[in-house]
Amino acid sequence: MSILEVTNLEKSFGKTRVLKGVSFTLEAGEVLSVIGSSGSGKTTLLRCINALETADGGRITVDGSVIFDSERTQKFSKAEQRRNQRKVGLVFQQFNLFPQYNVLQNVTLPMLLQARSRRDDSGRRALTAQIEATARGYLERVNLSDKLESYPCELSGGQQQRVAIARALALEPKILFFDEPTSALDPELTVEVLKVIRGLKNAGRTMVVVTHEMEFARNVSDKVIFMADGVIEEEGTPEQLFGAPKSEKTAAFLTRSYD
Amino acid sequence: MFWSVTQSLLEGFGKTAELFALTLLFAIPLGLVVSFGSMSRFGPLKWLVRSFVWVIRGTPLMLQLIIVFYGPGLLGTGAQNLLSGGYDGRFLQLVEWVASWTVHSRMVAALVAFVINYACYFSEIYRGGIESIPVGQYEACQVLGMTKTQAFFRVVLLQVVKRIVPPMGNEIITLVKDTSLARTIAVYEILWNAQKFTKTNGLLWPLLYSGLFYLVFTGVLTVLLRRIEKRMDYFKSV
């Protein structure tokens, strides 16, 4: 069974059909890159899976449980929606760190709020200490152990994005999604973020990365999807898709991207 | 003379400060409720609240003071007259009953008018602050599994506070001076007391002296407000 199954996903904004029936699957431990020009629907696809947009049609299954189904007559309750949300994590292009909290607090805040809503009454202080330790662990993985007390405004874009990655990871989603994680960064800062993502792949994380970094998509992913005009134009292994694209659109896009 | 003027002005200043503090105490939270109303996704509520804010901001505070003070009593008397004139009706009884409950204290009337007026001004400042927070902050909260309430109180609110301190400071300083309007319904605040000496003793300096009270008060507030701003300097809004 695939860890992610997207079936016939459709989404329109007004009269514009942004997703025209998108289907794909992803196996646990795999890294999927989604490439395509602006307006092809990549970001909308990610936003639909992460419930930031409500798709008009289709079905999404994560780890065997349905998190979205347009055929479902009964709506998910708010608590169910949050439970579904926990299965996936999203890293934004603009990081969206919380400016008034320091690095460590940015990671612990969502963890603390979730722990409380689950009513783990194993002593609040012990719980907080445990959560802090976990958060420190994740921040160490993204090489930010020396910035725990810094505030987002004191960090570079690359460092902020790494905090955002640690913050998403700390909630232990089944699949971590990245929405153009390096697009807002200066070129010299993209390397450190891509290195972190590569490290996560080696640790066996399942990830979906919407990206414009062709080299990265080629070297890191197990699978690549090329989107154009709201449909998956082509999908395959990086070797297939970059080496011998079957579709003319894919070939043209790749030529343009390498210019 | 100087001492008797000082004593009288201090007494008046007590009223001024009381009106000022109580207005803030009630108007600051009430403004938040009003701002939620004006941002409501339920159309009728939104337009009702926005029209109310329009009326309150669009008419003089002095007029509102007079209406709050005299209005209930006049309505009550009117209702009473109609009732004793043989008219009957639940509605008239209700009006009379409500009017009989309104406190006939000038101070309370002034406070009610000030709180309503300032809550409306505050609500617009809050609304501006809340709407200026980038949508990405809410989206991050959502994907991190927070409820809307958690997102507002744990993430958004402090950023809003940081943004609204300067415009709120403006309003708060204006409020210090607006309290003098309460004299319209004979609340004996500082300016009333100062003018008393001008009228009876033909003295100008008590008026200037009262101005000094205002200056010191607003000076202290300016320092306080700057401190609050400083305390939030450690982070930059996104």
Side-chain angles (χ1 to χ4, degrees):
Chain A
M1 185 185 57
S2 308
I3 196 156
L4 173 65
E5 288 174 24
V6 174
T7 318
N8 230 346
L9 208 63
E10 288 179 30
K11 175 71 186 173
S12 301
F13 293 111
K15 281 183 182 162
T16 324
R17 291 182 68 201
V18 183
L19 297 178
K20 304 171 183 167
V22 171
S23 306
F24 66 93
T25 61
L26 186 69
E27 303 305 317
E30 281 188 336
V31 175
L32 166 70
S33 288
V34 183
I35 59 172
S37 40
S38 313
S40 58
K42 315 181 293 285
T43 293
T44 306
L45 174 64
L46 231 59
R47 291 175 61 84
C48 285
I49 300 173
N50 283 277
L52 292 175
E53 307 285 353
T54 310
D56 303 322
R59 219 165 88 98
I60 303 167
T61 309
V62 174
D63 200 26
S65 52
V66 177
I67 63 165
F68 174 79
D69 190 350
S70 57
E71 309 275 282
R72 223 179 112 110
T73 41
Q74 200 188 351
K75 276 195 174 172
F76 285 114
S77 71
K78 286 203 167 149
E80 282 173 318
Q81 279 172 17
R82 276 201 301 283
R83 207 187 49 219
N84 290 338
Q85 192 96 55
R86 278 192 207 129
K87 296 185 199 301
V88 291
L90 177 63
V91 173
F92 297 86
Q93 184 178 347
Q94 300 294 343
F95 334 129
N96 294 337
L97 294 183
F98 306 136
Q100 74 270 42
Y101 292 113
N102 69 25
V103 166
L104 185 61
Q105 291 166 332
N106 258 280
V107 180
T108 53
L109 178 71
M111 298 170 82
L112 285 166
L113 293 176
Q114 288 203 359
R116 254 172 236 167
S117 65
R118 277 189 225 142
R119 298 196 204 293
D120 286 355
D121 267 344
S122 53
R124 183 158 285 184
R125 204 176 278 175
L127 184 69
T128 312
Q130 183 198 328
I131 282 175
E132 260 197 43
T134 315
R136 281 170 200 273
Y138 282 106
L139 284 162
E140 198 181 324
R141 273 198 231 176
V142 297
N143 299 320
L144 283 170
S145 293
D146 54 334
K147 296 283 182 195
L148 299 181
E149 311 279 311
S150 303
Y151 286 89
C153 62
E154 301 162 345
L155 302 178
S156 73
Q159 290 168 331
Q160 290 191 51
Q161 191 59 299
R162 286 186 281 145
V163 178
I165 293 173
R167 183 175 71 171
L169 276 177
L171 297 176
E172 309 196 322
K174 304 275 184 207
I175 312 168
L176 188 54
F177 293 81
F178 293 82
D179 184 12
E180 303 192 20
T182 58
S183 295
L185 300 177
D186 294 332
E188 75 268 23
L189 298 178
T190 61
V191 182
E192 60 188 63
V193 171
L194 295 181
K195 213 171 101 186
V196 165
I197 300 176
R198 204 181 295 249
L200 294 175
K201 177 200 161 72
N202 295 336
R205 287 270 164 193
T206 313
M207 294 184 284
V208 177
V209 188
V210 168
T211 185
H212 290 297
E213 301 281 336
M214 293 305 146
E215 279 308 313
F216 173 81
R218 188 168 191 162
N219 296 326
V220 176
S221 15
D222 301 292
K223 190 172 174 181
V224 183
I225 282 178
F226 170 66
M227 284 189 70
D229 296 324
V231 293
I232 295 180
E233 179 72 20
E234 188 167 347
E235 65 176 297
T237 64
E239 293 78 31
Q240 278 168 8
L241 203 127
F242 287 99
K246 290 185 200 116
S247 139
E248 266 177 41
K249 273 191 192 169
T250 316
F253 173 76
L254 290 175
T255 318
R256 261 182 287 134
S257 305
Y258 278 113
D259 269 349
Chain B
M1 193 66 200
F2 181 73
W3 288 116
S4 70
V5 170
T6 305
Q7 207 177 14
S8 169
L9 289 191
L10 273 174
E11 231 168 74
F13 184 71
K15 276 266 177 260
T16 298
E18 187 186 347
L19 191 54
F20 170 82
L22 290 175
T23 301
L24 282 190
L25 183 70
F26 293 111
I28 285 176
L30 184 63
L32 194 60
V33 176
V34 176
S35 78
F36 284 146
S38 70
M39 289 184 290
S40 169
R41 257 178 278 168
F42 179 59
L45 177 67
K46 182 173 87 178
W47 290 113
L48 188 75
V49 173
R50 288 196 176 183
S51 311
F52 182 73
V53 171
W54 170 57
V55 170
I56 295 298
R57 293 203 307 170
T59 55
L61 177 51
M62 198 186 277
L63 175 64
Q64 293 160 20
L65 272 166
I66 298 169
I67 287 178
V68 169
F69 182 57
Y70 293 105
L74 288 176
L75 279 179
T77 319
Q80 222 168 17
N81 287 345
L82 284 175
L83 282 172
S84 55
Y87 286 93
D88 203 13
R90 283 275 159 88
F91 180 70
L92 285 178
Q93 280 169 356
L94 185 75
V95 170
E96 204 224 338
W97 182 75
V98 169
S100 73
W101 271 94
T102 43
V103 190
H104 295 288
S105 147
R106 294 161 189 278
M107 186 62 183
V108 172
L111 190 61
V112 169
F114 273 96
V115 166
I116 292 175
N117 186 277
Y118 271 80
C120 286
Y121 277 97
F122 289 167
S123 79
E124 284 296 283
I125 295 178
Y126 295 161
R127 188 170 68 82
I130 291 171
E131 288 179 348
S132 74
I133 301 300
V135 67
Q137 290 286 310
Y138 294 98
E139 292 187 344
C141 292
Q142 191 196 322
V143 298
L144 293 166
M146 295 187 204
T147 63
K148 282 195 171 145
T149 320
Q150 288 171 339
F152 183 77
F153 285 103
R154 304 303 292 264
V155 174
V156 174
L157 187 60
L158 192 62
Q159 298 181 51
V160 173
V161 170
K162 184 182 166 83
R163 275 168 207 230
I164 65 174
V165 167
M168 285 294 281
N170 249 345
E171 288 300 320
I172 288 169
I173 294 218
T174 305
L175 172 61
V176 173
K177 295 164 292 168
D178 271 0
T179 51
S180 60
L181 287 171
R183 57 173 303 175
T184 321
I185 54 170
V187 171
Y188 301 133
E189 44 71 62
I190 181 166
L191 198 55
W192 173 289
N193 283 4
Q195 208 183 357
K196 191 175 64 190
F197 291 101
T198 311
K199 281 179 185 159
T200 53
N201 306 62
L203 293 173
L204 180 65
W205 63 266
L207 282 174
L208 299 175
Y209 192 15
S210 76
L212 197 64
F213 275 82
Y214 284 107
L215 276 179
V216 171
F217 195 15
T218 52
V220 170
L221 285 172
T222 308
V223 171
L224 272 177
L225 285 161
R226 194 157 299 158
R227 256 201 215 157
I228 295 175
E229 270 183 62
K230 271 260 161 65
R231 279 202 57 177
M232 285 182 293
D233 262 356
Y234 72 91
F235 75 89
K236 278 201 193 84
S237 344
V238 269

